[in-house]
Amino acid sequence: MLAVIDVPTTTWLGQRDHLLLTLMFNTGARVSELIGVRVADVALGPTSCVRLHGKGRKQRSLPLWKATAAEIRHWLRLNPQLAPASALLPRRDGQPMTRANVAQRLKGAVAAAAQTHPELAALKVSPHLVRHSTAMSLLQSGADPCDIALWLGHESPSTTHMYVEADLAMKQRALARLKPPEVKPARYRPPKGLMQFLRSL
């Protein structure tokens, strides 16, 4: 994901896409939630956050990395025409991006990143895969699965169990690559006093 986000570009579209991908990975948001973010949904300050509008009209606020907040500030300075009700990530015509736009821009970023990271060419990177990447990163950083479920806007913490299983599978594969030490278990030899006591019972 870092390689995909880091695709260098200086165009207006490129800067928008960089913010899109950064926000996508930072929040693990669904595409519908990302394209629904308005300027007014972002609170920038000592602790910055973004409000997402999820399924069933449910809302949740997620913290932003300082780097993401700084990028949003820069983006808003470049686009002073964006009003509070405007889409944070608009198309050239000012309208919100569509699901197809997001998928297309992600595909282009992956193709560009694959030039320096060839292993990406073999992966099918979708917006949903980015969401999974965020969940796995949170899990591997020590976040509780229940907190991850809240972060992703899942109805039930049990939905997050698949990430726990995936993480265990990855650790098991890593363990399988390690050669177990060839140490014979030491045989327990009880002290003489214990044996005499046991015989006397």
Side-chain angles (χ1 to χ4, degrees), residues 2-188:
L2 296 179
V4 173
I5 291 170
D6 203 33
V7 172
T9 181
T10 55
T11 64
W12 183 87
L13 275 179
Q15 290 184 53
R16 183 208 60 189
D17 291 350
H18 191 275
L19 176 56
L20 166 71
L21 297 170
T22 302
L23 201 57
M24 189 184 292
F25 187 50
N26 185 161
T27 63
R30 301 176 179 94
V31 175
S32 59
E33 294 171 336
L34 273 176
I35 61 181
V37 173
R38 306 289 170 175
V39 173
D41 292 324
V42 180
L44 299 173
T47 303
S48 300
C49 65
V50 60
R51 185 171 59 248
L52 299 177
H53 305 273
K55 290 180 176 180
R57 297 185 179 180
K58 291 183 179 178
Q59 295 183 15
R60 67 188 188 282
S61 292
L62 297 177
L64 296 173
W65 293 318
K66 288 183 179 179
T68 308
E71 192 167 344
I72 291 173
R73 285 190 187 94
H74 177 68
W75 174 251
L76 293 176
R77 281 196 300 270
L78 284 177
N79 297 278
Q81 78 282 4
L82 294 179
S86 301
L88 179 66
L89 302 163
R91 299 181 310 209
R92 283 196 184 107
D93 61 5
Q95 295 301 308
M97 296 179 74
T98 64
R99 290 172 181 270
N101 291 149
V102 173
Q104 180 187 30
R105 301 309 294 180
L106 175 60
K107 184 178 179 181
V110 171
Q115 294 178 12
T116 51
H117 298 271
E119 65 275 15
L120 284 170
L123 298 176
K124 188 177 180 182
V125 183
S126 66
H128 201 66
L129 185 64
V130 177
R131 184 168 157 82
H132 288 319
S133 298
T134 302
M136 287 299 293
S137 296
L138 286 167
L139 182 67
Q140 291 171 346
S141 68
D144 184 90
C146 290
D147 293 335
I148 298 172
L150 290 172
W151 186 285
L152 297 177
H154 285 160
E155 287 288 334
S156 167
S158 62
T159 311
T160 316
H161 187 67
M162 64 179 174
Y163 299 119
V164 178
E165 291 180 340
D167 187 48
L168 287 173
M170 289 168 63
K171 289 173 180 174
Q172 195 168 21
R173 286 195 296 273
L175 182 64
R177 288 193 290 268
L178 289 175
K179 186 178 180 182
E182 295 180 2
V183 179
K184 292 181 180 179
R187 186 178 174 185
Y188 175 68

